[in-house]
Amino acid sequence: MTAFTIREVPDDVASRLKVRAAEAGQSLQAYLLALVTREATQPTLAEIAQRAERYATSEIDNDEVLRLIDEGRAAR
């Protein structure tokens, strides 16, 4: 695994993050890892737009649309 260091975090930001971690019952490290992981796994607007463009130029029938909706729901 890779380790990250973030320098020059303002004191008020660090304090708020520590409080939020404590409220979530997590260490600061676990809380920040969850934040970074969530950010890295969410598609960006550009990725969503690319995906939409691909789908807009594809020939998809109703059965395929329903299958993709079911897949999306199952992935939640």
Side-chain angles (χ1 to χ4, degrees):
M1 277 200 206
T2 301
F4 290 102
T5 301
I6 302 174
R7 291 181 171 76
E8 300 180 22
V9 177
D11 290 338
D12 62 322
V13 172
S15 295
R16 276 186 269 146
L17 289 171
K18 288 177 186 177
V19 167
R20 289 180 185 179
E23 288 173 346
Q26 298 177 308
S27 67
L28 181 58
Q29 179 177 338
Y31 183 78
L32 293 174
L33 178 58
L35 282 176
V36 170
T37 300
R38 189 168 51 245
E39 177 64 25
T41 57
Q42 293 296 316
T44 65
L45 289 177
E47 291 168 338
I48 292 170
Q50 288 173 347
R51 195 178 307 158
E53 180 67 26
R54 265 197 322 270
Y55 289 142
T57 59
S58 299
E59 292 293 325
I60 300 176
D61 63 11
N62 286 340
D63 290 335
E64 181 69 5
V65 170
L66 294 174
R67 184 186 66 76
L68 290 170
I69 290 171
D70 288 340
E71 281 181 16
R73 288 178 177 157
R76 291 186 196 167

